[in-house]
Amino acid sequence: MIQRIMPIFRFLALILVLALPLGASAQTLPGLSPAAQPAETASTSPSVTSPASAKALVDILKDDAARAALIGELEKLAQPEAGDAVTPPADASTTEPADTPVVPLAREIGSVTQDLSRQVVDVVLKIGHGLGNLTRLFDGSAAVNWESVQEQGLALAILVVFAFATLTVARFLARFPLGAVERAATGKPLPRRVLWIGLALFIDWAVIGIAWFGTSAYAIAASGGGRIDLMQSLFIDAFVVIEFLKSCLASVLQYRRPALKLFNLEPTTARFWYLWLSRLISFLGYGVLVAHPLVNKAIGFSVGIGFRLAVVLITLIGATVLVSVKREEVRNGLFPLLEPVKSSVLRTILALLIHGWHVIVIIYLAVAFVLWVSRPFDAVDYMAWATVETVFAIVVGGLVDSLLSHAISDGIRLPADVKKTLPLLEARLNMMVPLFFRAVRVLLVAIVMAVLLQSWGVIDLLAWFQSDGGTEVVGRVLSAAIILLAAGGIWLAASSWVEYRLNPSLGRITNARTRTLLSLFRNAFSIVLVIIAAMLTLSQLGVDIAPLVAGAGVVGLAVGFGSQKLVQDIITGAFIQFENAMNEGDVVTVAGITGAVDRLTIRSVGIRDLDGVYHIIPFSSVTSVSNAMRGFSFHVAVMDVAYKEDIEAVKVAMQEAFDRLMESPRGAVVLDPLEMHGIVAFGPSSISVRARIKTLPGEQWATGRLYNEILKQVFDERGIEIPFPQTKVWFAEDGGEAGVASPGTPAVAHAPQSEVGRADRPAKPSSPAKTLDVPRNEDDDSDVDR
């Protein structure tokens, strides 16, 4: 402490010496000759060449810190004074406070980067200058005060021996309580074992306290005057701090007592790290706290500065080499710790940290060294607080991320009554909530990074947040986030309302047109909501949306000219919906394709045919719509009977079949009695009798199939013949080939063999033929010659 205070007193003495001539010269008014000055100012200036002043100046010039302070003060005095230019005083009543300019964040980052570069250069220069002071030991400019070394060295050595002997005896006696604690902790789970580990650590701290008390008592007794020497006091303080740190390190890397291990480390690995880390701690602690003051007193402050810098630099190099050599071993030992981590984000971050742990440690040590060189008085406090804040931010961020992952790991489960009312709500929530939590995780990472940058002084984010620009940016971001959340909630509410209206389990009778319009409303509303939310979000983020709207209009006009088909699709689809031409579930014929309407959009219709093929037809290709599901439908039954059958009996049989149909469950969909049309056609071998059944829309096909089955049974019971279709068979009289002709087609003979393949004239029979009507199988639809 005395060594730190002396340069300050010397600096004050120098300022006093310099202030004397300055005060005298200040009595001379500028612009006047000495003769024009008042008589009382013509006195001679006090002399500044006294031996005391000269000795003080020499001492200041020898001290590096005081000399640097002197140079700084001289530079300030060399600058032009503000009083040289006389300016009229500003009226306080008319003076307005100047607006504080808002510094953008990018410019602040650039300024910080420049300052950091200058600080790095200054640190490098300080390191070179400090290590250069050690050369004074070899060029003869610094002499060792051996009398001082011998005077205090012997007493300090005896105190060192006594301190370590006391600590050894105390730890020997502490084996018994520590052994009992180890036996009590054997076989206990980790949560209960932590209590015994803490008790063992407390016992070790008590041992260190006993050694400290004994060493202090010995130093006081040996001094004779009741006061401990400065060097002995520094050693005792260093001894307690170093042994305290080594005790904490031994509690973490426990290799002597396996039952008190906090981590599952191999004894050889724990022993290696404890020995080398304790050596580095001892070397750094005793070198800076004990050896450095001794060098200052025995040689000089400049050499002491170089010695302290060398001790810290050697410790940094040793720690860097130790970390580099053991990086793979530590990495392989840390990866199994990721197994219980469930959060994917936290797992990824921890995996990256484990993979590059050695780089992080080396950077941390380098930053600590640079800060210590540039800020030697508060570097330890600064590093301690920054480290604590960093660890706290990472731990809290990891815990929050783990809680979020655990909350959404099993998804969202809704009550049964809600799922019955809104079956798709749970799926929508499970789709939206992970996206929300992903955004929260990104925000969490940003907050942790902001805390880290603030802790290490890279960027003063708190000051930026409190500025006008920072407040505006944060407000805009929050407003944009609120808009996005509100848009998501509105979309979820609208989709749930449509689902509620279309849910048949609630007893609601919803027709096809309502289902179609609600589906189109949901799609159109989603598009409009996305566009509005995007525009409002961009507006809140500071983007001028007026050019975007104008540009969208121009682009829309260009797209309208270039995509007329698309516009035609939308307009045609709108008119089809206005006219209620088709709805979902209708059976229609559109563009030559018949099937059920599976999906309707604003520009196309999806139809699934009888074979299950899905067709997408643009509305611009729709010229007409044939809908079989409007109002009512008909099943038209046309039966072919033989010429010999009584037509009235056939009509009675068809009526009987209809009566049986009405007695079946399908009778509920029949709207009117059987509509008998009678004979509608005369065929080559049969007469066609037609009747029509009126049904509900879409029920005509199932009703017709059942009616045909019943009618076949009735015809069989009454012996009514359903003839086969007739074909004409002719035989050539000259032995040529025979031919077959279907009803209604002329009989054509096969061409002679010599005429096969000729395309200039049709094949003709070589001679007249006799024809014979033979039954033709319905399955035979070909006209191949037989």
Side-chain angles (χ1 to χ4, degrees):
M1 184 63 66
I2 296 176
Q3 287 80 356
R4 294 182 180 179
I5 297 176
M6 286 303 297
I8 298 177
F9 285 110
R10 294 175 181 174
F11 175 72
L12 294 177
L14 177 62
I15 294 299
L16 180 62
V17 171
L18 293 176
L20 294 177
L22 290 175
S25 61
Q27 302 297 326
T28 304
L29 297 177
L32 297 178
S33 61
Q37 301 296 329
E40 60 270 14
T41 62
S43 60
T44 307
S45 300
S47 176
V48 297
T49 58
S50 62
S53 301
K55 185 177 183 304
L57 181 60
V58 170
D59 294 337
I60 291 174
L61 294 177
K62 286 184 179 181
D63 191 352
D64 296 333
R67 185 172 67 250
L70 173 61
I71 294 174
E73 290 296 327
L74 292 176
E75 288 177 352
K76 292 180 181 179
L77 295 175
Q79 295 178 357
E81 296 181 359
D84 295 344
V86 180
T87 56
D91 190 1
S93 61
T94 60
T95 303
E96 297 181 357
D99 295 336
T100 303
V102 179
V103 181
L105 182 60
R107 184 178 299 176
E108 185 176 352
I109 294 175
S111 177
V112 170
T113 304
Q114 294 179 2
D115 294 340
L116 183 62
S117 301
R118 287 193 295 266
Q119 291 178 5
V120 169
V121 174
D122 294 341
V123 168
V124 173
L125 294 177
K126 288 182 179 179
I127 293 174
H129 181 71
L131 294 178
N133 290 332
L134 295 177
T135 59
R136 299 182 61 186
L137 292 173
F138 306 100
D139 59 9
S141 59
V144 179
N145 188 358
W146 294 109
E147 295 181 359
S148 176
V149 173
Q150 293 177 359
E151 178 182 354
Q152 295 186 350
L154 180 60
L156 183 62
I158 295 174
L159 184 66
V160 169
V161 173
F162 182 85
F164 282 101
T166 305
L167 181 63
T168 304
V169 172
R171 282 183 171 166
F172 177 80
L173 297 176
R175 291 188 308 167
F176 303 102
L178 289 176
V181 171
E182 182 181 8
R183 289 189 296 272
T186 303
K188 297 293 189 301
L190 182 60
R192 297 181 60 185
R193 194 166 66 245
V194 170
L195 300 176
W196 297 108
I197 294 174
L199 180 59
L201 182 61
F202 177 77
I203 294 174
D204 199 35
W205 288 354
V207 168
I208 297 173
I210 294 173
W212 167 77
F213 179 78
T215 305
S216 300
Y218 170 78
I220 293 174
S223 63
R227 297 183 59 184
I228 303 177
D229 183 70
L230 176 62
M231 294 304 304
Q232 294 181 358
S233 177
L234 292 176
F235 166 75
I236 294 174
D237 295 340
F239 172 76
V240 173
V241 172
I242 293 171
E243 293 301 326
F244 175 80
L245 294 177
K246 290 168 63 177
S247 175
C248 296
L249 184 64
S251 179
V252 175
L253 303 173
Q254 184 64 257
Y255 67 93
R256 294 177 179 174
R257 304 182 185 277
L260 299 177
K261 289 195 303 184
L262 187 61
F263 300 104
N264 190 17
L265 296 176
E266 295 293 333
T268 55
T269 303
R271 183 175 182 274
F272 173 84
W273 282 103
Y274 173 75
L275 291 178
W276 281 101
L277 291 178
S278 61
R279 290 168 184 172
L280 291 176
I281 291 173
S282 300
F283 178 79
L284 177 64
Y286 290 118
V288 173
L289 299 178
V290 179
H292 169 240
L294 185 60
V295 172
N296 286 340
K297 189 173 184 180
I299 302 176
F301 291 100
S302 59
V303 178
I305 293 174
F307 176 81
R308 182 182 61 181
L309 184 61
V311 170
V312 177
L313 190 60
I314 292 173
T315 306
L316 174 64
I317 295 174
T320 304
V321 172
L322 180 63
V323 169
S324 301
V325 170
K326 291 293 183 178
R327 62 180 184 276
E328 291 293 339
E329 181 179 347
V330 175
R331 182 185 301 157
N332 296 333
L334 292 177
F335 271 121
L337 300 178
L338 296 177
E339 296 180 358
V341 180
K342 296 182 179 180
S343 173
S344 59
V345 176
L346 182 59
R347 188 183 183 91
T348 303
I349 294 176
L350 292 178
L352 293 175
L353 294 178
I354 291 174
H355 186 75
W357 77 272
H358 59 289
V359 178
I360 298 174
V361 173
I362 292 174
I363 292 176
Y364 178 83
L365 295 176
V367 170
F369 175 74
V370 170
L371 288 176
W372 178 78
V373 172
S374 59
R375 303 166 58 174
F377 298 104
D378 62 342
V380 176
D381 296 338
Y382 179 82
M383 287 294 298
W385 280 110
T387 303
V388 170
E389 292 177 359
T390 300
V391 174
F392 179 77
I394 294 176
V395 170
V396 172
L399 291 177
V400 173
D401 185 75
S402 299
L403 292 176
L404 294 178
S405 301
H406 180 72
I408 62 174
S409 59
D410 298 332
I412 296 178
R413 297 291 181 264
L414 297 178
D417 54 345
V418 178
K419 292 177 64 175
K420 182 179 180 180
T421 305
L422 303 172
L424 299 180
L425 179 60
E426 182 175 310
R428 291 193 184 99
L429 290 176
N430 287 324
M431 178 189 69
M432 295 181 60
V433 171
L435 296 178
F436 173 75
F437 279 111
R438 189 174 301 173
V440 172
R441 283 176 174 175
V442 173
L443 179 62
L444 182 63
V445 172
I447 292 176
V448 172
M449 293 301 299
V451 172
L452 296 184
L453 295 176
Q454 180 72 28
S455 300
W456 292 97
V458 178
I459 298 177
D460 192 0
L461 292 178
L462 293 179
W464 180 76
F465 286 150
Q466 295 173 358
S467 64
D468 295 337
T471 304
E472 182 180 1
V473 170
V474 173
R476 288 181 178 274
V477 172
L478 291 178
S479 300
I482 292 173
I483 290 173
L484 293 178
L485 290 176
I490 294 174
W491 176 82
L492 187 63
S495 300
S496 300
W497 177 78
V498 173
E499 180 187 357
Y500 175 77
R501 290 294 305 272
L502 297 178
N503 192 352
S505 63
L506 299 178
R508 295 178 177 273
I509 301 176
T510 306
N511 54 27
R513 178 165 178 77
T514 303
R515 292 195 301 269
T516 302
L517 293 178
L518 287 177
S519 299
L520 291 176
F521 166 76
R522 179 171 54 195
N523 296 334
F525 181 78
S526 299
I527 295 173
V528 173
L529 182 63
V530 168
I531 294 175
I532 294 177
M535 290 296 181
L536 292 178
T537 301
L538 292 176
S539 176
Q540 288 297 325
L541 293 178
V543 179
D544 189 5
I545 63 174
L548 294 178
V549 175
V554 175
V555 172
L557 184 62
V559 171
F561 282 111
S563 57
Q564 297 181 9
K565 279 290 185 182
L566 178 61
V567 177
Q568 184 180 358
D569 292 340
I570 297 175
I571 295 176
T572 305
F575 278 102
I576 287 176
Q577 294 305 318
F578 291 154
E579 296 174 1
N580 195 21
M582 69 179 81
N583 293 310
E584 291 183 0
D586 290 354
V587 178
V588 297
T589 299
V590 175
I593 299 175
T594 301
V597 178
D598 193 72
R599 187 168 181 262
L600 277 171
T601 63
I602 60 175
R603 62 165 300 272
S604 65
V605 56
I607 294 179
R608 192 174 300 277
D609 62 13
L610 186 61
D611 297 329
V613 180
Y614 185 74
H615 305 270
I616 297 179
I617 303 172
F619 284 128
S620 60
S621 302
V622 177
T623 57
S624 64
V625 178
S626 301
N627 197 325
M629 305 284 290
R630 283 292 179 267
F632 56 87
S633 300
F634 282 108
H635 167 65
V636 179
V638 179
M639 299 302 299
D640 294 335
V641 297
Y643 276 94
K644 67 177 182 177
E645 301 297 340
D646 184 7
I647 299 303
E648 292 300 326
V650 172
K651 292 181 179 180
V652 171
M654 295 179 70
Q655 182 63 45
E656 181 181 353
F658 178 77
D659 295 337
R660 294 184 184 182
L661 174 67
M662 293 300 294
E663 295 174 356
S664 68
R666 300 297 305 175
V669 301
V670 178
L671 300 178
D672 292 336
L674 180 66
E675 184 179 345
M676 181 62 66
H677 292 173
I679 298 175
V680 294
F682 292 93
S685 61
S686 63
I687 300 174
S688 298
V689 181
R690 185 175 69 190
R692 192 167 67 174
I693 303 174
K694 188 176 183 180
T695 67
L696 292 175
E699 302 294 339
Q700 65 269 32
W701 296 287
T703 303
R705 289 191 295 269
L706 181 60
Y707 180 73
N708 289 337
E709 294 176 3
I710 298 174
L711 189 58
K712 175 65 171 60
Q713 296 174 3
V714 174
F715 276 15
D716 291 342
E717 293 173 359
R718 293 176 177 266
I720 299 176
E721 180 183 356
I722 302 175
F724 290 101
Q726 298 295 319
T727 59
K728 292 183 178 298
V729 181
W730 51 268
F731 299 94
E733 293 181 352
D734 58 355
E737 296 186 15
V740 180
S742 299
T745 60
V748 179
H750 284 283
Q753 191 70 24
S754 61
E755 297 179 354
V756 174
R758 296 183 61 181
D760 54 347
R761 59 187 177 86
K764 295 181 180 179
S766 58
S767 60
K770 298 179 181 180
T771 62
L772 176 65
D773 289 341
V774 297
R776 182 169 180 251
N777 195 339
E778 284 185 341
D779 296 335
D780 188 5
D781 294 332
S782 64
D783 293 333
V784 179
D785 296 340
R786 300 181 183 179

